[in-house]
Amino acid sequence: MTNFYSFHGTVTSISDFITGQAGVGEGCYKLISVQNGLGAIVNFVVSPSTYFVDHAMVSVGDRVTGYYDGDAPALLIYPPQYRALVMVKDSPFQNVKVDYFNSQLVSSDGRLRLDISPFTKVLLTNGQAFSRNPANRNLIVIYGSATKSIPARTTPYRIIVLC
């Protein structure tokens, strides 16, 4: 179970990230700087394995949320630099939650419960169908409206299973 933390803000710059190994991965890694409304900055290291929801192309000026492993070791530098696991470009038509969902399909923070319908697509990160129960897994949940109860309930459009 990954302990997902997130940071939301506006992309201020995108540059190549040098891995330190000559010739290895040149151009394959990016450093995306994100600044929130309070002026805090986070640098996300984006690798070929970083999952971009909807395979969205991110540009300077876009509003994004980056998710990272809150338990992973991090350099003690400013601004903080985290390895991005999932990046989400803001969309007015959908909400996204990245978290561990238990056997009752309730998120680890207890704020969202999933009601899966026959129309909910459950996929792997490579776009293939996931044929098992998504409970007790790390999930990317894409949904529209939710109830105002605690936990909020929603019927997601799509679930991406992070195996």
Side-chain angles (χ1 to χ4, degrees):
M1 175 172 114
T2 303
N3 190 11
F4 289 100
Y5 283 40
S6 65
F7 186 81
H8 180 79
T10 303
V11 175
T12 57
S13 70
I14 300 173
S15 59
D16 284 338
F17 181 75
I18 309 302
T19 61
Q21 299 174 5
V24 177
E26 288 183 18
C28 295
Y29 292 80
K30 300 289 181 190
L31 190 69
I32 298 180
S33 295
V34 179
Q35 184 173 9
N36 70 8
L38 301 173
I41 299 170
V42 166
N43 289 331
F44 286 107
V45 176
V46 175
S47 72
S49 64
T50 301
Y51 186 82
F52 280 78
V53 172
D54 296 327
H55 301 288
M57 184 69 66
V58 173
S59 304
V60 171
D62 288 340
R63 303 273 302 157
V64 298
T65 303
Y67 291 88
Y68 58 96
D69 183 349
D71 295 331
L75 299 171
L76 293 175
I77 58 174
Y78 183 82
Q81 181 174 295
Y82 304 115
R83 186 174 145 267
L85 301 175
V86 178
M87 293 294 288
V88 181
K89 183 176 177 178
D90 279 10
S91 168
F93 308 110
Q94 66 186 20
N95 299 301
V96 177
K97 177 134 182 115
V98 180
D99 206 345
Y100 176 84
F101 286 80
N102 68 18
S103 60
Q104 303 300 311
L105 291 173
V106 176
S107 62
S108 67
D109 63 6
R111 293 184 179 183
L112 188 64
R113 180 181 178 137
L114 308 180
D115 296 325
I116 298 176
S117 82
F119 302 106
T120 301
K121 292 181 183 177
V122 183
L123 307 169
L124 296 168
T125 55
N126 63 9
Q128 300 304 302
F130 182 75
S131 57
R132 307 297 279 255
N133 183 345
N136 296 313
R137 297 179 187 272
N138 293 320
L139 305 175
I140 302 170
V141 178
I142 296 121
Y143 63 100
S145 61
T147 65
K148 293 190 186 277
S149 61
I150 298 175
R153 295 180 77 136
T154 188
T155 302
Y157 305 139
R158 222 170 355 132
I159 297 172
I160 294 103
V161 179
L162 298 170
C163 291

